[in-house]
């Protein structure tokens, strides 16, 4: 039998996580069921039928697809304070898989609860539409880069996307908790090829490599 004190502490921890959300997401998360996941747990499988939206209270997940040979492309990284798995709203199957990158806690909001929330909070419906559009734009950009850019071009696009919000385009930007494999999955290339390109850029003085860290020191050349 589970310790009542442990259950109480867990409930309090979940309440604190929900309290840290924005007011809009807090109201939605309160309608869901709380679940915890270990690191590297597959929460959603591409192609399955689902009818739940996930509010991420703690941790980080990746949204990705794989082919029959095990090659992977990462579409998005979702962090705590955001939500994912909203693409079932059109009645179709899940468009991608989702895996935890670290221990995660989610509030799982089912179809009926989401419908009630949208009816009572129409402003959230507009925010949800905007979220879907942003992610559709990102998916379009990923497809465009895969079709029109070589591997180096895709690596540059992935790295320079982090300049958004920097003080200036020339200001150094430190990317943390990023591995060569994660970058390779994002650009649809092998880890070996991405590592070789990064080493060349480091030798050229454009970046500095660390353990799960890449520092962008200056604007990357358009071609290599």
């Amino acid at each position: 039998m589970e310790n009542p004190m442990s259950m109480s502490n867990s409930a309090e921890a979940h309440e604190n996580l929900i309290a840290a959300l924005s007011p809009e997401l807090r109201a939605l998360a309160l309608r869901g069921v709380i679940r915890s996941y270990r690191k590297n747990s597959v929460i959603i499988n591409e192609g399955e039928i689902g009818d739940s939206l996930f509010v991420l209270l703690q941790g980080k997940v990746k949204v990705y697809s794989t082919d029959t040979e095990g090659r992977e492309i990462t579409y998005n990284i979702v962090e705590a304070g955001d939500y994912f798995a909203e693409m079932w709203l059109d009645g179709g199957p899940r468009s991608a898989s989702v895996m935890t990158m670290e221990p995660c806690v989610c509030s799982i909001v089912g179809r009926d609860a989401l419908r009630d929330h949208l009816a009572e909070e129409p402003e959230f419906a507009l925010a949800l539409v905007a979220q879907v559009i942003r992610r559709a734009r990102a998916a379009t950009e990923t497809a465009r880069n895969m079709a029109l850019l070589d591997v180096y071009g895709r690596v540059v696009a992935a790295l320079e996307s982090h300049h958004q919000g920097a003080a200036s385009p020339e200001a150094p930007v430190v990317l943390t908790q990023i591995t060569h494999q994660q970058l390779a999955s994002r650009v649809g290339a092998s880890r070996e090829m991405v590592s070789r390109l990064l080493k060349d850029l480091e030798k050229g003085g454009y970046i500095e490599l660390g353990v799960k860290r890449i520092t962008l020191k200056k604007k990357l050349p358009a071609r290599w």
Side-chain angles (χ1 to χ4, degrees):
M1 181 180 295
E2 190 168 0
N3 187 325
M5 182 63 72
S6 175
M7 294 176 63
S8 175
N9 291 340
S10 178
E12 183 178 354
H14 293 164
E15 290 176 0
N16 290 337
L17 290 175
I18 292 176
L21 295 171
S22 65
E24 295 79 11
L25 275 188
R26 190 182 310 142
L28 177 63
L30 287 170
R31 297 178 183 269
V33 176
I34 306 298
R35 282 200 60 184
S36 299
Y37 299 90
R38 295 179 179 177
K39 181 179 178 180
N40 295 330
S41 297
V42 177
I43 299 177
I44 291 171
N45 287 293
E46 182 179 359
E48 68 184 8
I49 301 300
D51 61 355
S52 300
L53 179 150
F54 291 66
V55 181
L56 187 56
L57 308 180
Q58 178 178 291
K60 182 188 302 184
V61 304
K62 67 175 179 179
V63 183
Y64 68 101
S65 290
T66 56
D67 64 13
T68 56
E69 298 180 2
R71 292 176 298 190
E72 179 182 306
I73 179 72
T74 300
Y75 301 118
N76 191 22
I77 302 296
V78 182
E79 301 190 3
D82 202 349
Y83 57 91
F84 59 91
E86 71 280 357
M87 299 299 285
W88 60 268
L89 289 168
D90 66 350
R94 299 290 194 186
S95 59
S97 298
V98 178
M99 176 186 285
T100 60
M101 301 177 69
E102 54 193 49
C104 291
V105 179
C106 298
S107 173
I108 306 175
V109 184
R111 180 192 300 273
D112 292 339
L114 180 58
R115 182 183 293 116
D116 291 342
H117 188 70
L118 293 175
E120 296 175 20
E121 305 286 345
E123 287 297 318
F124 181 77
L126 295 176
L128 180 59
V129 170
Q131 177 83 302
V132 170
I133 292 173
R134 281 194 298 271
R135 289 180 174 166
R137 289 184 189 277
T140 300
E141 183 67 14
T142 297
R144 174 186 176 279
N145 289 345
M146 292 291 288
L148 302 180
L149 299 178
D150 58 12
V151 174
Y152 174 74
R154 299 200 297 271
V155 169
V156 169
L159 292 176
E160 291 195 334
S161 67
H162 294 276
H163 271 297
Q164 297 174 3
S168 76
E170 298 300 325
V173 175
V174 180
L175 315 182
T176 59
Q177 297 303 308
I178 183 171
T179 67
H180 293 194
Q181 181 58 61
Q182 289 168 355
L183 183 58
S185 295
R186 182 169 175 182
V187 302
S190 69
R191 181 185 61 78
E192 292 77 13
M193 181 174 289
V194 168
S195 294
R196 186 165 60 250
L197 288 171
L198 292 176
K199 285 292 185 183
D200 286 346
L201 287 171
E202 184 177 43
K203 289 177 182 178
Y206 293 96
I207 67 174
E208 180 179 309
L209 300 176
V211 178
K212 292 187 178 182
R213 187 184 74 251
I214 302 174
T215 302
L216 310 181
K217 300 173 66 176
K218 56 185 178 180
K219 183 172 178 58
L220 303 177
R223 298 187 181 277
W224 193 256

